[in-house]
Amino acid sequence: MSIARIIKKTIRRYYFSSLDYQPEQLSPAQIDTVVIYQPDAVGDAMSLFPVLRSLERSSIKRIVLVLSPRSVDVFKHFQPANMAVDIHVAPHRFELTNKKIKQIARQLRQRYGRPDLCIEGTRRNKTATAIFVGHLRARCNLGVNGSTMRCYSRLNQRAQALSDENTALPLVWTRLMEDFGFPTPASRNFEFLVTQETEQEMGTALSGVDRYAVLNLDGSDERRRFSTKKGLQIAEALHDSTGLPIFIVFGPGGETKANQIASRLDYVHTLHQPPSLQRTAGLVKHASLVVTPDTSVLHMASAFNIPVIAIYEIYRPHWRPLSDKYSIIDMKGPIEAMEIEQLRRELDNRFV
């Protein structure tokens, strides 16, 4: 290790120690207010639902969620009858400055007093999370980020071991809650709550369509995105193998590609309404099959137990499908390089 890295690690360790403190040894019965820190992506937020389902079955009185703008849609319809749920929107963790993190933690202290429990939901042992935890100063903290700060409960050890072994994240969060003494959640899976309004909207949009496939072509970065040309080939292979009509779902920036494919293949469709996570989840919920890169659409398929073919740039078991029926294509590089015959084999062997 270079001298520069040794110095950097020493400074970081000293700074973390200045934020650290001795936590209280609490049981769930002593906890009224829980802060969950999760200013991250949609999939990360969906993986946390076992935490909320466990808290929902406990006697706590308030959950305070610190979320990125994108992940608000995952939780905004979570409205348990027996407790308050407050959402505080923060910039995505990539955009959060240390100053802003301190400000958020202090605002929460001013509004709620000292929280009983903070659950650090990003799983990242970074300066940003240490700053949040250190300035919020909850009576106790839970997390699986590998931190050695003493303010974290040591009841996380079995969950941390699962995380280190790349166990699927909803199962890691389930173990963490159980080991702390909270009730076992009813669901140990990703979740996305589809509203009744969306269900009605999808019923109208899908009128006369009994079975269909959902195709998503875009992940969060270029290495996890398919081109229009490859998207056409995937749609053709999917229809050839299954005979199903196909609905393409897309996020910001994906509309032109989806419409180009739909205009060339009469069995490919898009919704006429503006894209949203709610509408995407509504389509996925009732699909017969989903084909998608590793992104939130994959976790929606898991949430609704829909058969899925998951195409990974690099396979990460943390994010494996949790559907009963699934197939994994691990490209170990940009997904655009996928051979269509590889997809055809998966479709013919597993899903036809």
Side-chain angles (χ1 to χ4, degrees):
M1 185 181 297
S2 68
I3 294 176
R5 286 194 65 188
I6 292 173
I7 293 173
K8 184 177 180 181
K9 287 188 70 173
T10 301
I11 293 173
R12 186 169 181 262
R13 187 163 53 246
Y14 175 78
Y15 183 59
F16 276 33
S17 69
S18 72
L19 297 167
D20 208 356
Y21 60 96
Q22 187 65 40
E24 297 180 35
Q25 302 301 313
L26 301 180
S27 69
Q30 297 171 288
I31 294 173
D32 287 334
T33 301
V34 178
V35 172
I36 300 177
Y37 181 72
Q38 225 299 320
D40 215 328
V42 172
D44 298 87
M46 290 176 65
S47 77
L48 267 173
F49 250 96
V51 172
L52 273 71
R53 293 305 184 191
S54 177
L55 295 175
E56 185 179 27
R57 303 179 74 177
S58 74
S59 60
I60 71 160
K61 296 181 173 60
R62 183 180 300 276
I63 300 174
V64 181
L65 294 160
V66 181
L67 305 172
S68 69
R70 185 75 169 154
S71 60
V72 167
D73 282 343
V74 176
F75 295 117
K76 69 181 181 182
H77 300 294
F78 176 69
Q79 299 171 346
N82 58 331
M83 65 188 65
V85 178
D86 297 344
I87 292 178
H88 291 260
V89 182
H92 187 279
R93 64 182 179 84
F94 291 149
E95 300 165 357
L96 268 174
T97 63
N98 292 347
K99 181 179 179 181
K100 182 63 176 177
I101 296 168
K102 294 177 187 177
Q103 181 184 9
I104 293 169
R106 288 166 179 164
Q107 287 173 344
L108 295 179
R109 280 294 296 262
Q110 289 172 1
R111 179 167 178 178
Y112 301 104
R114 189 181 188 188
D116 300 305
L117 176 65
C118 173
I119 299 175
E120 195 290 293
T122 69
R123 302 177 297 105
R124 289 170 174 84
N125 184 23
K126 302 290 186 181
T127 301
T129 53
I131 289 173
F132 181 81
V133 169
H135 283 83
L136 184 68
R137 296 186 74 83
R139 296 170 66 197
C140 185
N141 299 280
L142 282 176
V144 286
N145 58 19
S147 175
T148 58
M149 292 174 69
R150 67 180 186 276
C151 63
Y152 283 96
S153 168
R154 290 297 167 256
L155 293 175
N156 73 338
Q157 291 180 1
R158 290 203 295 176
Q160 185 67 60
L162 290 179
S163 181
D164 294 342
E165 294 165 3
N166 285 321
T167 301
L169 285 176
L171 305 182
V172 174
W173 291 119
T174 297
R175 170 61 72 187
L176 182 69
M177 300 305 285
E178 289 175 338
D179 285 356
F180 193 78
F182 281 108
T184 297
S187 171
R188 306 182 184 198
N189 202 340
F190 298 93
E191 283 192 50
F192 193 102
L193 303 177
V194 177
T195 66
Q196 187 60 38
E197 180 183 1
T198 300
E199 292 277 19
Q200 293 170 354
E201 189 178 81
M202 292 301 102
T204 301
L206 297 170
S207 178
V209 180
D210 294 326
R211 299 178 68 245
Y212 60 91
V214 165
L215 173 60
N216 173 49
L217 298 172
D218 295 315
S220 59
D221 57 65
E222 286 299 325
R223 293 170 63 86
R224 289 191 281 170
R225 292 175 187 156
F226 288 115
S227 65
T228 303
K229 179 180 178 181
K230 184 60 66 101
L232 277 163
Q233 295 171 348
I234 292 171
E236 289 171 344
L238 179 54
H239 184 69
D240 288 347
S241 293
T242 66
L244 294 172
I246 300 166
F247 281 85
I248 297 184
V249 295
F250 53 87
E255 184 172 6
T256 299
K257 177 165 48 180
N259 287 335
Q260 286 175 345
I261 296 171
S263 68
R264 294 181 60 177
L265 302 174
D266 60 8
Y267 48 79
V268 174
H269 313 279
T270 61
L271 292 178
H272 298 301
Q273 299 92 336
S276 71
L277 287 173
Q278 265 292 318
R279 293 188 175 107
T280 294
L283 270 177
V284 170
K285 182 177 181 179
H286 300 289
S288 298
L289 174 65
V290 173
V291 177
T292 179
D294 171 25
T295 188
S296 59
V297 175
L298 166 59
H299 311 314
M300 290 176 184
S302 292
F304 302 120
N305 197 21
I306 305 300
V308 61
I309 296 179
I311 305 160
Y312 291 81
E313 173 204 357
I314 296 174
Y315 175 57
R316 296 173 296 170
H318 266 327
W319 299 114
R320 71 173 179 86
L322 293 180
S323 299
D324 290 340
K325 191 173 184 179
Y326 66 88
S327 184
I328 290 169
I329 297 176
D330 182 9
M331 292 306 302
K332 298 181 172 60
I335 64 174
E336 179 73 8
M338 181 186 71
E339 297 288 342
I340 294 302
E341 285 307 311
Q342 187 175 6
L343 176 62
R344 288 184 186 274
R345 284 194 299 272
E346 296 297 328
L347 286 164
D348 294 342
N349 293 338
R350 301 289 301 279
F351 297 96
V352 178

